[in-house]
Structures are given as structure tokens and as C-alpha cells.
Amino acid sequence: MGATAAMFVTSLIPPLPFLLAGCLPLWVGALLAGVSGLPLRPGVLGAGTLAVAALILAAFAGREVFCPGAGRCPAWRLVFARRPAIPAYAALAVAVLLGFALQFGWRTGDFTIPLGGLGILGGYFSFAPPLAWHRRGLGEAVGGFCFGLLPVATGLYLQCGQLLTEVLLYGLPLSFTGFNLFLLYGFPGPGEAAPGFPTLAARVKPMTGSLIFTINNVLTIIGLALILIFPAASLPWRFGLWPLLILAVINQELIKRKAYRDEGRLTLLGRLTLTLHLGMGLVFVLMLWQRL
């Protein structure tokens, strides 16, 4: 039993950055409730975090079932699972049970399960039929939504049963960066043919893909600038936004220099974009934590 648990923990290392990328926005939404004078319930936050992690793992497992090796995201496999579908169904079951516990046990609101349903539609069904967003070139938009606006809104709703306009202030920049992250992870390598289930980057010309990246990156920069001046620019943690803005500019310079033409630079750009998303989530959490 101990060896199995150790193997499971070890298997979480490859998707760990993506688990954090999904959970940090949830914590941002939860802290928004606290800074707005609404109750902050740690138990609800813990259960919600486990549910989000389960949904992300279900998406990773679904990818191994329906589109193994698709894109550049790391694989998640459980060596002790006989079939790759077993971890996917197990993760979905955990998320569903936690959703029912939150709505009917913690009484988090009528939209708790529907919000979780959106997470399933955007996570597991990114690869699973009949939706298979990845196959339709829509996986990037769905992924950006599920790693930005959706978890921020869910984190807030689970705490207080309502939404606030600040959800857009923090959720949209995270969604724009999340879109770019999955756009880059869907780029075929230089000289490679488009995969069988083409991503958005594989469907369009490289220059078009770089233009889409640029639009979202500029929107990210605008969003960070708005957070810098509104609503709490006097907070000391606002200095954490400057490295994020600089990193966004560096990413833009890399795409301007056609990083997608070189495998090494494309990999670097993908890692920097993931770092930007994680950094945004962390800085937002610290800024809001200080406002409690």
C-alpha cells in the first residue's frame, strides 16, 4: 500500500505545474470573497482545490486514452493501472463526489454542480468524444477558460454563492495567458506535419498562429496594467506585477523572432508562458491575501 501511494505521488510530478496553474486561480477567487467582506471558508476551499485537481488529472488521463502523445503537455500515467481509462474515471468520480459534497453538504449554491460540469466539459472532454475540443481546434480556447475565468469565478462562488466584477479583472488575464499556453503546446515541431487531431496552431499557418499569440499576449499585458492601477495600486505586492509584465514582453519578443521555427526556442517559449501563468496566479494570491 505504501509503495502504491509513493508511485501515485511520484506520478503527479509531470502534471504538477498544470495542477498549480488550475488551482491558483481558484484560490484567487476564494480570496476575492474575503477581501470583499464575505466569509472565507477553508474547508470549502480545500474541497474545491481537490475537485479542480481531480478534473485536471481526468483531462490528462483522457488525453492518454483518446489522443496519446498529442501536443507537448507531459503525460500522466499510473503504472499500476491496468488500463489508462481507469485513472480518468477515478478522477472524474472524485470530482463528482466532491461536487455533491460541496453543494449539498457545505451548501455552496445551486450552481456548484453546473460549474463542475463546465470543468468536465472543458477538461476530460477536451480529448474524449463526442466533444473532443482538441480535435476541433477549440482546445486552446476551452483550456484558457478552464485555467482562468472559470476557476476564479468558481472559487468566489463556492465561498459566497455570488459573483463580483473583480472576477473579470483577474480571470481574463489568466484566460488569455492560458490560451497562449495551450496554443504553444499545440504547435507542431518545425518541419513536422500536422497531427491527426490538429490543434489550432496546426490548422493555421505559423504566422497566423504567432498573430493569435500576439493578440492574447497584448491583452494579457493590458490586463496586468489595469490590475497595477486598480483597485489597490498602493499595496506593496504590486511590485510583483512588473516581472510579469517584463516576462510577457520577453515572450512577445520571442514570438516576434519566430521562435516557432526552432524546436529549442519553441520549448523555451512554452515554458516561459507556463511560468507567466503560474507567476500571475501566485502574485494575484499574494496581493489579495494582503488585502484580507
Side-chain angles (χ1 to χ4, degrees):
M1 187 69 178
T4 301
M7 292 169 63
F8 176 76
V9 172
T10 302
S11 72
L12 294 179
I13 295 177
L16 181 59
F18 292 87
L19 291 172
L20 289 174
C23 291
L24 283 172
L26 182 83
W27 301 344
V28 170
L31 290 173
L32 276 175
V35 302
S36 302
L38 300 168
L40 181 61
R41 298 185 284 177
V44 170
L45 179 58
T49 300
L50 291 177
V52 169
L55 289 174
I56 294 172
L57 291 178
F60 269 88
R63 171 174 172 257
E64 295 306 307
V65 176
F66 300 102
C67 305
R72 300 170 178 272
C73 291
W76 182 59
R77 302 185 183 92
L78 292 179
V79 295
F80 53 83
R82 296 181 179 180
R83 295 182 299 165
I86 293 177
Y89 295 145
L92 285 174
V94 170
V96 169
L97 288 175
L98 287 169
F100 277 101
L102 285 165
Q103 180 162 330
F104 299 109
W106 275 284
R107 300 186 181 280
T108 51
D110 294 338
F111 290 100
T112 300
I113 291 177
L115 286 170
L118 286 177
I120 294 174
L121 291 176
Y124 176 74
F125 283 102
S126 282
F127 304 98
L131 299 178
W133 305 116
H134 173 80
R135 180 185 306 176
R136 305 173 191 276
L138 296 173
E140 295 79 5
V142 173
F145 177 64
C146 290
F147 277 73
L149 196 57
L150 178 60
V152 174
T154 301
L156 175 62
Y157 183 83
L158 291 179
Q159 294 296 324
C160 60
Q162 57 183 293
L163 296 177
L164 303 171
T165 54
E166 275 192 279
V167 165
L168 299 175
L169 189 66
Y170 293 98
L172 287 177
L174 286 165
S175 288
F176 295 140
T177 305
F179 182 100
N180 274 349
L181 174 64
F182 291 106
L183 178 70
L184 290 172
Y185 274 67
F187 258 95
E192 292 181 1
F197 297 151
T199 59
L200 177 61
R203 287 171 175 265
V204 300
K205 295 180 180 179
M207 285 296 295
T208 304
S210 68
L211 176 60
I212 296 172
F213 180 95
T214 297
I215 293 172
N216 281 279
N217 198 47
V218 170
L219 290 173
T220 298
I221 292 173
I222 293 173
L224 291 174
L226 288 175
I227 296 172
L228 187 64
I229 62 177
F230 175 84
S234 60
L235 292 178
W237 267 109
R238 74 182 188 279
F239 72 84
L241 295 172
W242 288 108
L244 300 177
L245 285 165
I246 293 172
L247 182 54
V249 172
I250 292 173
N251 289 346
Q252 187 57 46
E253 185 63 22
L254 282 171
I255 204 73
K256 177 184 175 183
R257 294 176 180 270
K258 298 179 175 57
Y260 49 82
R261 291 184 175 178
D262 178 79
E263 181 65 30
R265 289 194 298 161
L266 181 58
T267 300
L268 174 63
L269 181 56
R271 291 174 178 172
L272 290 178
T273 304
L274 177 57
T275 300
L276 176 61
H277 192 281
L278 289 171
M280 288 168 61
L282 179 59
V283 170
F284 293 170
V285 165
L286 292 173
M287 292 179 67
L288 292 168
W289 180 269
Q290 191 181 47
R291 292 171 58 188
L292 290 177

